[in-house]
Amino acid sequence: MASTMVAAGLTIAAAGFAGRYVLQAMKHMEPQVKQVFQSLPKSAFSGDYYRCKVKMTVLALRELPL
């Protein structure tokens, strides 16, 4: 039982240190991430391509003989 508690404590401590490291790394990368998102075209997130693809599929299905 004691070894389980020690293992659980070490796991929680490791998760805490890893989380802290990730947060610090994200702070340093934030300007670069913002720049990448601003440089992407707006149409990349609009969903027009997928919407058009669905409409084309529906039209093709309507033309199939039943």
Side-chain angles (χ1 to χ4, degrees), residues 6-66:
V6 169
L10 289 174
T11 303
I12 291 171
F17 280 115
R20 191 169 115 194
Y21 175 77
V22 167
L23 287 177
Q24 287 178 352
M26 290 300 289
K27 283 183 184 178
H28 294 296
M29 292 176 54
E30 185 177 0
Q32 294 150 346
V33 171
K34 282 184 180 179
Q35 183 182 9
V36 167
F37 278 123
Q38 288 174 351
S39 68
L40 290 174
K42 297 292 181 189
S43 63
F45 300 108
S46 68
D48 288 336
Y49 172 77
Y50 298 106
R51 200 172 308 129
C52 181
K53 188 116 173 134
V54 168
K55 285 182 183 178
M56 290 172 48
T57 305
V58 169
L59 290 175
L61 288 175
R62 285 183 184 169
E63 294 176 4
L64 290 176
L66 295 177

